[in-house]
Amino acid sequence: MVRPVLVLTHAPHEGPGMISRALDGIPYGVRTVLDVAEPRLPSVADLGGLVVMGGAVDADDERNHPGLAAERRLVAAAVEADVPVLGVCLGMQVLALALGARLHRRHGTEIGFAPVDVVADDPVLAPLGPRPIVLHWHDDAVDLPPGATLLASTPATPVQAFRAGSAVGLQFHLEVEPSMLDLWLGVPDMGGLLDDEVRDGVRGDGARHLPDLVPAAVAGLGAWADAVRTRARAQG
């Protein structure tokens, strides 16, 4: 039996998106424990993989969002047990904190489609090419966790992606497909915070770049999902 993947979300509009497509045939469940002080989370021994999605909160704001501490503990245990972990945006920051890195609030805002420099070979980023144009939507940043490998960078955010053992963190959004982008641009706490010119620019850039980005992103996310399948075969 294939162990399921747990997807932790922090906002109803920031779901797994194309990650669910990459997980084709692998069971997964979605939970939100952000504001639960003592959530009942599964043992990592029962997980085929762990995904931690994005959101608007600060990754270290446990006073207002106590579930973040439980997420961090589960992520650390998953990496220790060699369970495939994927952290996206806020999820990458939770992953980095779980591995001992520091968070830098309001380090630099990046919103919209822009390139990242891929600086190391990794199966998740390889399908994107050396300087893909991806969707950014953040203003916090993290240091590279001790022992992790830097995978991608921009001048504004030196740590845009990293690998630490079985875990991959992505500050940018490979999970976004056109319908999700439309949703984000219409949500008050995302697109509603942008001025009309920026919002229209993101929408137009999405129409230009997503047709090429989506298949490459599906391939890269599929490489991560393959690690989940490999874990299942090894335990079968």
Side-chain angles (χ1 to χ4, degrees):
M1 182 182 73
V2 178
R3 287 171 171 82
V5 171
L6 175 62
V7 180
L8 294 174
T9 61
H10 307 95
H13 49 274
E14 296 207 44
M18 291 194 297
I19 297 169
S20 62
R21 192 188 306 184
L23 289 171
D24 181 40
I26 301 174
Y28 71 92
V30 179
R31 289 191 60 189
T32 302
V33 300
L34 180 65
D35 296 327
V36 182
E38 294 294 336
R40 296 185 64 181
L41 292 170
S43 165
V44 295
D46 297 326
L47 293 178
L50 176 63
V51 179
V52 189
M53 298 305 306
V57 307
D58 294 315
D60 59 355
D61 188 8
E62 297 170 16
R63 166 179 274 183
N64 293 309
H65 305 286
L68 289 169
E71 289 188 23
R72 192 174 65 247
R73 291 193 296 269
L74 183 64
V75 167
V79 176
E80 178 67 23
D82 205 32
V83 174
V85 176
L86 178 64
V88 178
C89 200
L90 170 61
M92 168 181 146
Q93 296 162 12
V94 171
L95 170 62
L97 290 175
L99 298 177
R102 292 178 56 202
L103 178 75
H104 301 278
R105 294 188 182 187
R106 317 303 172 258
H107 181 271
T109 299
E110 291 182 293
I111 296 177
F113 288 86
V116 293
D117 292 311
V118 176
V119 298
D121 186 34
D122 189 90
V124 174
L125 296 189
L128 304 178
R131 201 165 191 261
I133 295 176
V134 297
L135 178 62
H136 306 266
W137 207 306
H138 72 99
D139 55 13
D140 291 351
V142 291
D143 291 333
L144 185 68
T149 299
L150 181 67
L151 300 181
S153 180
T154 63
T157 307
V159 180
Q160 281 280 359
F162 67 83
R163 177 176 286 278
S166 62
V168 175
L170 305 174
Q171 184 61 65
F172 47 90
H173 293 277
L174 287 187
E175 81 279 15
V176 171
E177 52 195 338
S179 61
M180 181 179 282
L181 180 61
D182 288 342
L183 175 63
W184 287 12
L185 291 172
V187 171
D189 65 353
M190 292 192 75
L193 299 178
L194 307 177
D195 63 40
D196 291 345
E197 183 178 356
V198 173
R199 187 167 53 251
D200 290 346
V202 173
R203 182 176 286 110
D205 286 345
R208 281 189 292 274
H209 297 301
L210 283 176
D212 291 329
L213 180 59
V214 163
V218 169
L221 295 170
W224 181 83
D226 285 344
V228 177
R229 295 183 179 93
T230 297
R231 171 176 166 81
R233 288 195 295 270
Q235 295 176 336

